[in-house]
Amino acid sequence: MTKRMRNVAISGIGQTRHRGHREDVNMVELVSEAVEAVLEDSKMDLKDIDCIVHGNMELFEGVHQPDMWHVLGDGAYGKAGFRITTGGTTGATIVCSADHLVASGMYDSVLAIGWEKQEEGMTTTGITNMADPLWEREIQTGAITGTHGVMMMNKFGEPANQAAAEFRVLMADNARKNYKAHLRIEITRKDVLASRVLAWPLRLLHMCPESNGACAILFVSEKLAKKLPQKPVWMHDHVTVHRQETFDLVNMGDLDTHGEAARVLYARNGILDPMKQVGVFEMYDPQSWWALDWLGKFLMLENGEQIEMILNGDFAIDGKFPVNPSGGVVSSNPIGATAIIRVAEAALQIRGNAGEHQVPKDVNLAMSTGFGGTFWTVLHLLGAEKPDK
Amino acid sequence: MYTTDKLPLDQKDCFGKFGLMSIPYRYFAGLFLSEAMIALRDDKKILGAKCEKCDKVYVPPRSRCEKDFSKITELVEVGPEGTVEEITVVNYEEEYFKKFCSMLDPPYTMALIKLDGASTKLLHRIPGDKIKRGDRVKPKWAADDKREAMITDIEYFEKV
Amino acid sequence: MGTKTDKQGREIVEIRYEMAIPGTFATGPIMGHMLNKLKDKELWGNRCGKCQNVLFPPKIVCPKCFEEPTEWVKLDDWGYIATFDVVHFPTINPLTGIMREVPYTTLIVALPNGGGFFHFCLENDPEKLAPGKKVIPVWKDKREGRPSDLEGWVLEEGQ
Ligand SMILES: [Zn+2]
Ligand SMILES: [Zn+2]
């Protein structure tokens, strides 16, 4: 059990419909759509919100300090707040921050907002700037990399290839049930394996899209949660694990941040069998090859058992252990919002009103992750019951 | 130089490597703001956004009122004349900005101008260094074939 | 600069620009030492006195132990493929602003002394490459102390 001054609940969730083109709105207007949605969902008056924490990716829209003018879209006029930008994990780190701010007793209500308008920049070139300019920036190509695919195929052969494609098909099946998702396509395993090669063995359909979207979550104290109409979803724990800054060791048995985060989270929260105790898992899966590997890491499967499970349909919405009922990151990726969308979707599943992509069972615990940089992990645990119960 | 008592280091290994951070961008104004920017180009009109709730008129226009978060849908004409409220005089040339728009020769004045009918101040430029607070100014429009729905469709402001 | 027409036929302001900010990145004495040695076709890392791991590129502290490295280590100039990919999707090299030509292959070389080297592989046929195969560097004639002093890595003969 982690130390927590007081309980923190999610009492409101708002998202835009994530799209490839949103030329009809500017960045501020896009953000305001999610804020309007969270106010509607929570029935909270903006003037009663104490603090606003928001974030997006650096270098994606070419605005140096979006926080300066985002006050308009955030509703942050005259309020406490700050911007957080930690790469792909931005949305997850915003949630950590909002959780801290309420848990500490500093504020009773904190609005967390993640957003991205990716059509305005060049994502891959933006991401490439994270690499050391003296060493790896000339070689690195953002998140478009097939190196994990090679590792998985080398280890598990053709079944890995089939499973990565099958997991992508599952994500598409789920996304078609989620009207907020960006790519709601009907595809088969054959389509995935015949799609254009981006970075062999990574193909177009393995990879996430570039989306425009925003997501806002309202975090409140226990006292305030009781007054608000939505069923509260309780924050249980979060773990962040970083590793060193160069890419060379990623695939060479260096610190496995996902596995380490999971080990810490499970140990602290008495989770002995995650697939039994956790009801649903919203995993940050920017490409299906990563998903294939990371499922094993988060779920502590040492011998590639996830390959068989994918091919069995165990991760489907009505399967043994539902993963990404929302359609995941390969279906929608407004990057600064992506990790907070994972938390929002996990919370919706606990609330039981996710809509058509609701899992057909009561969810007591849900996990979500954020991923970014040279393998950084943020792992969240949410629950239907208060953590101290 | 970074030092350590454990590893031999040499000053000649400290040097700099030049590199750019080069990324292409595009920025969308959105439907609401586009209408006002197109009015600069087509009608030589400056439009502000009027909040129905608090009557504040934002120039440049915003589709959200920063104070009450209400959605703004009404555009009203402001100016074209206005009053200089704050100034600073620019005495140098910045090569980088020339890539994006035509620049005035220094010295020129950067001014916050409150256009008649607006609640907020618009940042723009005025030739020369003789401008004072309180001066009345009017826009100098770019030629018809030079306007492109940008704030620089007003080349600069000048004394009335 | 200008406007575009959206799918509904509405005119929308769209501003296009390229941000190209010049910068000079300081090497510091440790990274600089390694880069300077590339001019002599040599790979140099440093060793953590505590865990004895060789760090490449060399670092000011061992990321695992947070201890200052204690000695310079000249690395053997060959390695094994740890993993690779063949890139067909062109992206801009932000350091130059120039679009990269595809296809090209990147690889991570596991160096025998320890550490790894993320670089280009000059073989673009994935069927010929596999983790575990031995590779050697190809040096450029003109070297100026940067990673691109290596053209890339090739399979050792017989691999
Ligand atoms: Zn107002
Ligand atoms: Zn060490």
Side-chain angles (χ1 to χ4, degrees), chain A residues 23-24 26-27 29 32 35-36 46 59-62 72-73 75 77 119-121 125 129, chain B residues 17 20-33 62-67 69:
Chain A
E23 297 156 354
D24 58 321
N26 59 34
M27 297 169 213
E29 290 164 344
S32 73
V35 173
E36 202 162 68
L46 182 63
L59 303 182
F60 274 24
E61 287 87 0
L72 293 164
Y77 184 84
E119 69 184 336
E120 306 213 352
T125 306
N129 280 290
Chain B
K17 281 283 177 197
L20 291 172
M21 194 173 73
S22 174
I23 313 174
Y25 289 105
R26 47 197 199 142
Y27 169 78
F28 289 104
L31 278 172
F32 184 71
L33 186 57
R62 313 275 190 206
S63 61
R64 284 275 165 185
C65 177
E66 66 174 8
K67 281 197 170 161
F69 205 64

mmCIF file of all heavy atoms in Angstrom, chain A residues 23-24 26-27 29 32 35-36 46 59-62 72-73 75 77 119-121 125 129, chain B residues 17 20-33 62-67 69:
data_model
loop_
_atom_site.group_PDB
_atom_site.id
_atom_site.type_symbol
_atom_site.label_atom_id
_atom_site.label_comp_id
_atom_site.label_asym_id
_atom_site.label_seq_id
_atom_site.Cartn_x
_atom_site.Cartn_y
_atom_site.Cartn_z
ATOM 1 N N GLU A 23 -9.221 20.841 -39.119
ATOM 2 C CA GLU A 23 -8.859 22.159 -39.626
ATOM 3 C C GLU A 23 -9.899 23.203 -39.238
ATOM 4 O O GLU A 23 -9.664 24.400 -39.367
ATOM 5 C CB GLU A 23 -8.718 22.085 -41.154
ATOM 6 C CG GLU A 23 -7.600 21.145 -41.556
ATOM 7 C CD GLU A 23 -7.756 20.579 -42.955
ATOM 8 O OE1 GLU A 23 -8.798 20.827 -43.588
ATOM 9 O OE2 GLU A 23 -6.836 19.880 -43.409
ATOM 10 N N ASP A 24 -11.051 22.721 -38.765
ATOM 11 C CA ASP A 24 -12.127 23.650 -38.412
ATOM 12 C C ASP A 24 -11.885 24.350 -37.084
ATOM 13 O O ASP A 24 -12.569 25.321 -36.772
ATOM 14 C CB ASP A 24 -13.467 22.888 -38.361
ATOM 15 C CG ASP A 24 -13.431 21.723 -37.367
ATOM 16 O OD1 ASP A 24 -12.389 21.040 -37.292
ATOM 17 O OD2 ASP A 24 -14.434 21.512 -36.674
ATOM 18 N N ASN A 26 -8.796 25.716 -34.049
ATOM 19 C CA ASN A 26 -7.386 25.874 -33.712
ATOM 20 C C ASN A 26 -7.101 25.088 -32.427
ATOM 21 O O ASN A 26 -7.986 24.456 -31.865
ATOM 22 C CB ASN A 26 -6.998 27.354 -33.634
ATOM 23 C CG ASN A 26 -7.807 28.120 -32.601
ATOM 24 O OD1 ASN A 26 -8.179 27.580 -31.568
ATOM 25 N ND2 ASN A 26 -8.084 29.384 -32.884
ATOM 26 N N MET A 27 -5.842 25.146 -31.976
ATOM 27 C CA MET A 27 -5.454 24.313 -30.825
ATOM 28 C C MET A 27 -6.296 24.613 -29.596
ATOM 29 O O MET A 27 -6.761 23.714 -28.902
ATOM 30 C CB MET A 27 -3.982 24.582 -30.474
ATOM 31 C CG MET A 27 -3.015 24.202 -31.555
ATOM 32 S SD MET A 27 -1.384 24.860 -31.128
ATOM 33 C CE MET A 27 -0.755 25.205 -32.750
ATOM 34 N N GLU A 29 -9.231 25.877 -29.377
ATOM 35 C CA GLU A 29 -10.624 25.436 -29.519
ATOM 36 C C GLU A 29 -10.754 23.919 -29.360
ATOM 37 O O GLU A 29 -11.743 23.425 -28.813
ATOM 38 C CB GLU A 29 -11.168 25.900 -30.876
ATOM 39 C CG GLU A 29 -11.355 27.409 -30.925
ATOM 40 C CD GLU A 29 -11.508 27.971 -32.343
ATOM 41 O OE1 GLU A 29 -11.184 27.267 -33.316
ATOM 42 O OE2 GLU A 29 -11.933 29.133 -32.455
ATOM 43 N N SER A 32 -10.710 23.183 -25.709
ATOM 44 C CA SER A 32 -11.933 23.611 -25.021
ATOM 45 C C SER A 32 -13.064 22.603 -25.206
ATOM 46 O O SER A 32 -13.952 22.502 -24.364
ATOM 47 C CB SER A 32 -12.359 24.997 -25.491
ATOM 48 O OG SER A 32 -12.890 24.938 -26.797
ATOM 49 N N VAL A 35 -12.692 20.188 -22.405
ATOM 50 C CA VAL A 35 -13.020 20.822 -21.122
ATOM 51 C C VAL A 35 -14.539 20.951 -20.990
ATOM 52 O O VAL A 35 -15.121 20.649 -19.939
ATOM 53 C CB VAL A 35 -12.325 22.195 -21.000
ATOM 54 C CG1 VAL A 35 -12.788 22.937 -19.755
ATOM 55 C CG2 VAL A 35 -10.811 22.015 -20.980
ATOM 56 N N GLU A 36 -15.185 21.359 -22.060
ATOM 57 C CA GLU A 36 -16.639 21.456 -22.046
ATOM 58 C C GLU A 36 -17.253 20.079 -21.733
ATOM 59 O O GLU A 36 -18.193 19.966 -20.940
ATOM 60 C CB GLU A 36 -17.125 21.952 -23.409
ATOM 61 C CG GLU A 36 -18.498 22.577 -23.375
ATOM 62 C CD GLU A 36 -18.728 23.434 -24.618
ATOM 63 O OE1 GLU A 36 -18.823 22.864 -25.706
ATOM 64 O OE2 GLU A 36 -18.795 24.680 -24.481
ATOM 65 N N LEU A 46 -16.977 25.352 -13.676
ATOM 66 C CA LEU A 46 -15.558 25.676 -13.866
ATOM 67 C C LEU A 46 -15.020 26.548 -12.740
ATOM 68 O O LEU A 46 -13.886 26.392 -12.304
ATOM 69 C CB LEU A 46 -15.360 26.364 -15.226
ATOM 70 C CG LEU A 46 -13.931 26.718 -15.611
ATOM 71 C CD1 LEU A 46 -13.062 25.473 -15.756
ATOM 72 C CD2 LEU A 46 -13.893 27.517 -16.903
ATOM 73 N N LEU A 59 7.438 20.504 -29.394
ATOM 74 C CA LEU A 59 7.837 20.457 -30.808
ATOM 75 C C LEU A 59 6.784 19.898 -31.761
ATOM 76 O O LEU A 59 7.049 19.747 -32.928
ATOM 77 C CB LEU A 59 9.119 19.638 -31.004
ATOM 78 C CG LEU A 59 10.341 20.071 -30.219
ATOM 79 C CD1 LEU A 59 11.526 19.175 -30.574
ATOM 80 C CD2 LEU A 59 10.694 21.515 -30.498
ATOM 81 N N PHE A 60 5.585 19.572 -31.280
ATOM 82 C CA PHE A 60 4.621 18.990 -32.211
ATOM 83 C C PHE A 60 3.795 20.033 -32.940
ATOM 84 O O PHE A 60 3.355 19.816 -34.059
ATOM 85 C CB PHE A 60 3.698 18.007 -31.491
ATOM 86 C CG PHE A 60 4.278 16.638 -31.421
ATOM 87 C CD1 PHE A 60 5.645 16.445 -31.501
ATOM 88 C CD2 PHE A 60 3.470 15.525 -31.294
ATOM 89 C CE1 PHE A 60 6.203 15.182 -31.449
ATOM 90 C CE2 PHE A 60 4.010 14.256 -31.242
ATOM 91 C CZ PHE A 60 5.368 14.084 -31.316
ATOM 92 N N GLU A 61 3.540 21.151 -32.304
ATOM 93 C CA GLU A 61 2.747 22.183 -32.954
ATOM 94 C C GLU A 61 3.565 23.444 -33.224
ATOM 95 O O GLU A 61 3.073 24.373 -33.849
ATOM 96 C CB GLU A 61 1.524 22.554 -32.114
ATOM 97 C CG GLU A 61 0.436 21.497 -32.104
ATOM 98 C CD GLU A 61 0.653 20.446 -31.016
ATOM 99 O OE1 GLU A 61 1.645 20.559 -30.277
ATOM 100 O OE2 GLU A 61 -0.150 19.512 -30.920
ATOM 101 N N GLY A 62 4.801 23.473 -32.752
ATOM 102 C CA GLY A 62 5.653 24.624 -33.021
ATOM 103 C C GLY A 62 5.292 25.845 -32.199
ATOM 104 O O GLY A 62 5.631 26.958 -32.569
ATOM 105 N N LEU A 72 -7.231 30.163 -22.437
ATOM 106 C CA LEU A 72 -8.533 30.347 -23.084
ATOM 107 C C LEU A 72 -9.284 29.030 -23.232
ATOM 108 O O LEU A 72 -10.477 28.948 -22.956
ATOM 109 C CB LEU A 72 -8.349 30.967 -24.465
ATOM 110 C CG LEU A 72 -7.837 32.397 -24.503
ATOM 111 C CD1 LEU A 72 -7.348 32.724 -25.882
ATOM 112 C CD2 LEU A 72 -8.932 33.342 -24.077
ATOM 113 N N GLY A 73 -8.591 28.022 -23.687
ATOM 114 C CA GLY A 73 -9.247 26.747 -23.922
ATOM 115 C C GLY A 73 -9.344 25.896 -22.668
ATOM 116 O O GLY A 73 -10.236 25.069 -22.532
ATOM 117 N N GLY A 75 -9.740 27.062 -19.585
ATOM 118 C CA GLY A 75 -10.566 27.665 -18.543
ATOM 119 C C GLY A 75 -9.740 27.985 -17.310
ATOM 120 O O GLY A 75 -10.250 28.056 -16.201
ATOM 121 N N TYR A 77 -8.152 30.700 -16.422
ATOM 122 C CA TYR A 77 -7.985 32.121 -16.087
ATOM 123 C C TYR A 77 -7.997 32.341 -14.575
ATOM 124 O O TYR A 77 -8.962 31.996 -13.897
ATOM 125 C CB TYR A 77 -9.112 32.936 -16.739
ATOM 126 C CG TYR A 77 -8.996 34.430 -16.536
ATOM 127 C CD1 TYR A 77 -8.200 35.203 -17.378
ATOM 128 C CD2 TYR A 77 -9.675 35.069 -15.499
ATOM 129 C CE1 TYR A 77 -8.080 36.570 -17.196
ATOM 130 C CE2 TYR A 77 -9.562 36.436 -15.310
ATOM 131 C CZ TYR A 77 -8.770 37.180 -16.159
ATOM 132 O OH TYR A 77 -8.654 38.528 -15.975
ATOM 133 N N GLU A 119 -1.749 17.242 -36.780
ATOM 134 C CA GLU A 119 -1.704 17.636 -38.183
ATOM 135 C C GLU A 119 -0.912 18.932 -38.362
ATOM 136 O O GLU A 119 -0.551 19.285 -39.472
ATOM 137 C CB GLU A 119 -3.118 17.808 -38.744
ATOM 138 C CG GLU A 119 -3.857 19.004 -38.165
ATOM 139 C CD GLU A 119 -5.300 19.105 -38.659
ATOM 140 O OE1 GLU A 119 -5.599 18.583 -39.727
ATOM 141 O OE2 GLU A 119 -6.113 19.697 -37.935
ATOM 142 N N GLU A 120 -0.634 19.639 -37.274
ATOM 143 C CA GLU A 120 0.016 20.940 -37.409
ATOM 144 C C GLU A 120 1.541 20.834 -37.476
ATOM 145 O O GLU A 120 2.202 21.812 -37.806
ATOM 146 C CB GLU A 120 -0.423 21.870 -36.274
ATOM 147 C CG GLU A 120 -1.944 21.953 -36.214
ATOM 148 C CD GLU A 120 -2.524 23.276 -35.764
ATOM 149 O OE1 GLU A 120 -1.753 24.148 -35.342
ATOM 150 O OE2 GLU A 120 -3.747 23.443 -35.859
ATOM 151 N N GLY A 121 2.073 19.680 -37.144
ATOM 152 C CA GLY A 121 3.529 19.554 -37.180
ATOM 153 C C GLY A 121 3.959 18.320 -37.938
ATOM 154 O O GLY A 121 3.194 17.750 -38.706
ATOM 155 N N THR A 125 9.663 13.830 -37.118
ATOM 156 C CA THR A 125 10.806 14.731 -37.015
ATOM 157 C C THR A 125 10.850 15.364 -35.631
ATOM 158 O O THR A 125 11.921 15.534 -35.047
ATOM 159 C CB THR A 125 10.723 15.806 -38.107
ATOM 160 O OG1 THR A 125 10.584 15.149 -39.362
ATOM 161 C CG2 THR A 125 11.964 16.665 -38.137
ATOM 162 N N ASN A 129 13.990 14.681 -32.373
ATOM 163 C CA ASN A 129 14.778 15.638 -31.596
ATOM 164 C C ASN A 129 15.005 15.213 -30.155
ATOM 165 O O ASN A 129 15.721 15.893 -29.426
ATOM 166 C CB ASN A 129 14.121 17.016 -31.637
ATOM 167 C CG ASN A 129 14.435 17.734 -32.928
ATOM 168 O OD1 ASN A 129 15.553 18.147 -33.168
ATOM 169 N ND2 ASN A 129 13.447 17.846 -33.794
ATOM 170 N N LYS B 17 29.355 21.260 -31.728
ATOM 171 C CA LYS B 17 28.924 20.734 -33.031
ATOM 172 C C LYS B 17 27.685 21.492 -33.466
ATOM 173 O O LYS B 17 26.685 21.523 -32.736
ATOM 174 C CB LYS B 17 28.592 19.241 -32.898
ATOM 175 C CG LYS B 17 29.811 18.354 -32.895
ATOM 176 C CD LYS B 17 30.351 18.196 -34.297
ATOM 177 C CE LYS B 17 31.629 17.351 -34.284
ATOM 178 N NZ LYS B 17 32.381 17.524 -35.529
ATOM 179 N N LEU B 20 20.964 22.020 -36.771
ATOM 180 C CA LEU B 20 19.691 22.742 -36.776
ATOM 181 C C LEU B 20 18.675 21.969 -35.953
ATOM 182 O O LEU B 20 18.871 20.791 -35.649
ATOM 183 C CB LEU B 20 19.156 22.849 -38.202
ATOM 184 C CG LEU B 20 19.897 23.738 -39.177
ATOM 185 C CD1 LEU B 20 19.313 23.540 -40.572
ATOM 186 C CD2 LEU B 20 19.782 25.198 -38.759
ATOM 187 N N MET B 21 17.591 22.652 -35.623
ATOM 188 C CA MET B 21 16.398 21.933 -35.219
ATOM 189 C C MET B 21 15.331 22.369 -36.222
ATOM 190 O O MET B 21 14.708 23.402 -36.074
ATOM 191 C CB MET B 21 15.980 22.281 -33.804
ATOM 192 C CG MET B 21 14.971 21.282 -33.290
ATOM 193 S SD MET B 21 14.596 21.518 -31.571
ATOM 194 C CE MET B 21 13.617 22.983 -31.683
ATOM 195 N N SER B 22 15.244 21.580 -37.262
ATOM 196 C CA SER B 22 14.448 21.979 -38.410
ATOM 197 C C SER B 22 13.203 21.107 -38.523
ATOM 198 O O SER B 22 13.300 19.897 -38.679
ATOM 199 C CB SER B 22 15.323 21.823 -39.657
ATOM 200 O OG SER B 22 14.568 22.064 -40.806
ATOM 201 N N ILE B 23 12.046 21.735 -38.393
ATOM 202 C CA ILE B 23 10.776 20.995 -38.478
ATOM 203 C C ILE B 23 9.757 21.860 -39.230
ATOM 204 O O ILE B 23 9.609 23.040 -38.911
ATOM 205 C CB ILE B 23 10.186 20.679 -37.085
ATOM 206 C CG1 ILE B 23 11.250 20.111 -36.144
ATOM 207 C CG2 ILE B 23 9.009 19.719 -37.194
ATOM 208 C CD1 ILE B 23 10.751 19.912 -34.721
ATOM 209 N N PRO B 24 9.074 21.292 -40.219
ATOM 210 C CA PRO B 24 8.010 22.052 -40.879
ATOM 211 C C PRO B 24 6.713 22.024 -40.061
ATOM 212 O O PRO B 24 6.398 21.006 -39.443
ATOM 213 C CB PRO B 24 7.822 21.310 -42.207
ATOM 214 C CG PRO B 24 8.343 19.951 -41.990
ATOM 215 C CD PRO B 24 9.276 19.968 -40.819
ATOM 216 N N TYR B 25 6.015 23.134 -40.064
ATOM 217 C CA TYR B 25 4.750 23.233 -39.338
ATOM 218 C C TYR B 25 3.674 23.855 -40.206
ATOM 219 O O TYR B 25 3.958 24.567 -41.165
ATOM 220 C CB TYR B 25 4.898 24.127 -38.093
ATOM 221 C CG TYR B 25 5.713 23.523 -36.998
ATOM 222 C CD1 TYR B 25 7.019 23.951 -36.752
ATOM 223 C CD2 TYR B 25 5.186 22.520 -36.197
ATOM 224 C CE1 TYR B 25 7.775 23.385 -35.742
ATOM 225 C CE2 TYR B 25 5.940 21.956 -35.183
ATOM 226 C CZ TYR B 25 7.225 22.390 -34.959
ATOM 227 O OH TYR B 25 7.971 21.830 -33.961
ATOM 228 N N ARG B 26 2.424 23.597 -39.839
ATOM 229 C CA ARG B 26 1.333 24.384 -40.364
ATOM 230 C C ARG B 26 0.376 24.659 -39.217
ATOM 231 O O ARG B 26 0.231 23.848 -38.304
ATOM 232 C CB ARG B 26 0.629 23.689 -41.516
ATOM 233 C CG ARG B 26 0.299 22.252 -41.240
ATOM 234 C CD ARG B 26 -0.014 21.530 -42.521
ATOM 235 N NE ARG B 26 -0.740 20.315 -42.200
ATOM 236 C CZ ARG B 26 -1.739 19.827 -42.928
ATOM 237 N NH1 ARG B 26 -2.150 20.468 -43.997
ATOM 238 N NH2 ARG B 26 -2.335 18.726 -42.590
ATOM 239 N N TYR B 27 -0.220 25.809 -39.259
ATOM 240 C CA TYR B 27 -1.057 26.234 -38.162
ATOM 241 C C TYR B 27 -2.427 26.573 -38.708
ATOM 242 O O TYR B 27 -2.544 27.323 -39.680
ATOM 243 C CB TYR B 27 -0.428 27.450 -37.476
ATOM 244 C CG TYR B 27 -1.341 28.124 -36.492
ATOM 245 C CD1 TYR B 27 -1.538 27.576 -35.224
ATOM 246 C CD2 TYR B 27 -2.021 29.291 -36.819
ATOM 247 C CE1 TYR B 27 -2.399 28.181 -34.332
ATOM 248 C CE2 TYR B 27 -2.879 29.901 -35.927
ATOM 249 C CZ TYR B 27 -3.063 29.339 -34.680
ATOM 250 O OH TYR B 27 -3.917 29.936 -33.800
ATOM 251 N N PHE B 28 -3.460 26.001 -38.093
ATOM 252 C CA PHE B 28 -4.821 26.291 -38.535
ATOM 253 C C PHE B 28 -5.488 27.278 -37.584
ATOM 254 O O PHE B 28 -5.487 27.072 -36.371
ATOM 255 C CB PHE B 28 -5.639 25.005 -38.603
ATOM 256 C CG PHE B 28 -5.222 24.121 -39.743
ATOM 257 C CD1 PHE B 28 -4.464 22.988 -39.525
ATOM 258 C CD2 PHE B 28 -5.566 24.452 -41.050
ATOM 259 C CE1 PHE B 28 -4.060 22.188 -40.582
ATOM 260 C CE2 PHE B 28 -5.167 23.656 -42.104
ATOM 261 C CZ PHE B 28 -4.415 22.525 -41.876
ATOM 262 N N ALA B 29 -6.071 28.314 -38.169
ATOM 263 C CA ALA B 29 -6.721 29.328 -37.345
ATOM 264 C C ALA B 29 -8.076 28.854 -36.842
ATOM 265 O O ALA B 29 -8.586 29.370 -35.851
ATOM 266 C CB ALA B 29 -6.896 30.614 -38.155
ATOM 267 N N GLY B 30 -8.656 27.876 -37.516
ATOM 268 C CA GLY B 30 -10.016 27.449 -37.167
ATOM 269 C C GLY B 30 -11.037 28.318 -37.888
ATOM 270 O O GLY B 30 -10.728 29.411 -38.365
ATOM 271 N N LEU B 31 -12.247 27.814 -37.972
ATOM 272 C CA LEU B 31 -13.286 28.497 -38.759
ATOM 273 C C LEU B 31 -13.571 29.912 -38.273
ATOM 274 O O LEU B 31 -13.701 30.842 -39.063
ATOM 275 C CB LEU B 31 -14.586 27.685 -38.698
ATOM 276 C CG LEU B 31 -14.684 26.506 -39.656
ATOM 277 C CD1 LEU B 31 -15.921 25.687 -39.338
ATOM 278 C CD2 LEU B 31 -14.713 27.004 -41.105
ATOM 279 N N PHE B 32 -13.661 30.054 -36.957
ATOM 280 C CA PHE B 32 -14.095 31.340 -36.401
ATOM 281 C C PHE B 32 -13.066 32.430 -36.665
ATOM 282 O O PHE B 32 -13.370 33.489 -37.210
ATOM 283 C CB PHE B 32 -14.338 31.168 -34.897
ATOM 284 C CG PHE B 32 -14.878 32.390 -34.222
ATOM 285 C CD1 PHE B 32 -16.181 32.805 -34.455
ATOM 286 C CD2 PHE B 32 -14.090 33.130 -33.353
ATOM 287 C CE1 PHE B 32 -16.690 33.929 -33.824
ATOM 288 C CE2 PHE B 32 -14.588 34.250 -32.721
ATOM 289 C CZ PHE B 32 -15.892 34.650 -32.957
ATOM 290 N N LEU B 33 -11.819 32.147 -36.313
ATOM 291 C CA LEU B 33 -10.757 33.133 -36.512
ATOM 292 C C LEU B 33 -10.490 33.362 -38.006
ATOM 293 O O LEU B 33 -10.149 34.472 -38.428
ATOM 294 C CB LEU B 33 -9.487 32.664 -35.784
ATOM 295 C CG LEU B 33 -8.310 33.623 -35.746
ATOM 296 C CD1 LEU B 33 -8.708 34.952 -35.123
ATOM 297 C CD2 LEU B 33 -7.158 33.008 -34.950
ATOM 298 N N ARG B 62 -11.200 35.713 -30.300
ATOM 299 C CA ARG B 62 -11.103 34.407 -29.639
ATOM 300 C C ARG B 62 -12.496 33.791 -29.658
ATOM 301 O O ARG B 62 -13.462 34.514 -29.492
ATOM 302 C CB ARG B 62 -10.736 34.560 -28.161
ATOM 303 C CG ARG B 62 -9.603 35.500 -27.882
ATOM 304 C CD ARG B 62 -8.345 34.769 -28.017
ATOM 305 N NE ARG B 62 -7.185 35.506 -27.563
ATOM 306 C CZ ARG B 62 -5.987 35.246 -28.065
ATOM 307 N NH1 ARG B 62 -5.845 34.375 -29.022
ATOM 308 N NH2 ARG B 62 -4.934 35.877 -27.604
ATOM 309 N N SER B 63 -12.547 32.480 -29.764
ATOM 310 C CA SER B 63 -13.864 31.862 -29.742
ATOM 311 C C SER B 63 -14.295 31.490 -28.324
ATOM 312 O O SER B 63 -15.362 30.928 -28.119
ATOM 313 C CB SER B 63 -13.901 30.635 -30.642
ATOM 314 O OG SER B 63 -12.975 29.691 -30.171
ATOM 315 N N ARG B 64 -13.425 31.750 -27.336
ATOM 316 C CA ARG B 64 -13.789 31.529 -25.931
ATOM 317 C C ARG B 64 -13.498 32.792 -25.154
ATOM 318 O O ARG B 64 -12.445 33.401 -25.350
ATOM 319 C CB ARG B 64 -12.923 30.438 -25.309
ATOM 320 C CG ARG B 64 -13.265 29.057 -25.699
ATOM 321 C CD ARG B 64 -14.356 28.481 -24.846
ATOM 322 N NE ARG B 64 -14.886 27.294 -25.501
ATOM 323 C CZ ARG B 64 -15.918 26.598 -25.055
ATOM 324 N NH1 ARG B 64 -16.543 26.978 -23.966
ATOM 325 N NH2 ARG B 64 -16.338 25.539 -25.700
ATOM 326 N N CYS B 65 -14.390 33.167 -24.250
ATOM 327 C CA CYS B 65 -14.102 34.277 -23.355
ATOM 328 C C CYS B 65 -13.172 33.764 -22.273
ATOM 329 O O CYS B 65 -13.454 32.752 -21.632
ATOM 330 C CB CYS B 65 -15.389 34.810 -22.734
ATOM 331 S SG CYS B 65 -15.072 36.128 -21.563
ATOM 332 N N GLU B 66 -12.032 34.413 -22.074
ATOM 333 C CA GLU B 66 -11.064 33.892 -21.104
ATOM 334 C C GLU B 66 -11.618 33.958 -19.688
ATOM 335 O O GLU B 66 -11.241 33.183 -18.837
ATOM 336 C CB GLU B 66 -9.733 34.648 -21.191
ATOM 337 C CG GLU B 66 -9.805 36.095 -20.785
ATOM 338 C CD GLU B 66 -8.433 36.758 -20.739
ATOM 339 O OE1 GLU B 66 -7.454 36.132 -21.159
ATOM 340 O OE2 GLU B 66 -8.356 37.909 -20.280
ATOM 341 N N LYS B 67 -12.522 34.905 -19.432
ATOM 342 C CA LYS B 67 -13.002 35.091 -18.058
ATOM 343 C C LYS B 67 -14.142 34.168 -17.701
ATOM 344 O O LYS B 67 -14.161 33.589 -16.636
ATOM 345 C CB LYS B 67 -13.423 36.540 -17.846
ATOM 346 C CG LYS B 67 -12.226 37.427 -17.628
ATOM 347 C CD LYS B 67 -12.617 38.750 -17.032
ATOM 348 C CE LYS B 67 -11.366 39.501 -16.597
ATOM 349 N NZ LYS B 67 -11.590 40.920 -16.417
ATOM 350 N N PHE B 69 -15.463 31.707 -19.876
ATOM 351 C CA PHE B 69 -15.405 30.461 -20.642
ATOM 352 C C PHE B 69 -16.615 30.267 -21.553
ATOM 353 O O PHE B 69 -16.863 29.173 -22.039
ATOM 354 C CB PHE B 69 -15.260 29.246 -19.706
ATOM 355 C CG PHE B 69 -14.608 28.064 -20.377
ATOM 356 C CD1 PHE B 69 -13.303 28.136 -20.828
ATOM 357 C CD2 PHE B 69 -15.298 26.876 -20.563
ATOM 358 C CE1 PHE B 69 -12.693 27.057 -21.439
ATOM 359 C CE2 PHE B 69 -14.698 25.779 -21.189
ATOM 360 C CZ PHE B 69 -13.392 25.881 -21.621
#
